[in-house]
Amino acid sequence: MIDYVGEVGVNLTGKVVVIAHCNCQERAKCVERKLMERYSFKASLIIDTKGISSMYANDGGVIVAF
């Protein structure tokens, strides 16, 4: 996932990355740390999944948007 962000992302240093997690805050923090180190996003935000996004992420899953 971390590599894929670099493949599809453009001008990432000027963007905010949002990481949604489904019952896995530790994994979300790890993903955030790696994304910020590698791509230097302007800012980051970690949130809990709600509603339909919980179904897509599944228990322990992480969704990244930028």
Side-chain angles (χ1 to χ4, degrees):
M1 177 186 342
I2 305 297
D3 293 335
Y4 186 70
V5 169
E7 291 173 20
V8 298
V10 178
N11 191 25
L12 298 176
T13 57
K15 294 185 178 178
V16 176
V17 62
V18 179
I19 303 160
H21 70 90
C22 187
N23 300 321
C24 197
Q25 176 114 15
E26 291 176 19
R27 182 176 292 143
K29 287 181 180 182
C30 179
V31 169
E32 176 191 42
R33 188 184 79 254
K34 290 178 180 183
L35 286 170
M36 295 301 284
E37 287 174 358
R38 189 176 298 183
Y39 302 115
S40 301
F41 281 94
K42 178 173 67 173
S44 65
L45 178 65
I46 295 177
I47 61 173
D48 296 330
T49 57
K50 302 282 186 206
I52 194 90
S53 64
S54 297
M55 183 189 77
Y56 287 119
N58 208 353
D59 193 35
V62 174
I63 299 170
V64 175
F66 52 92

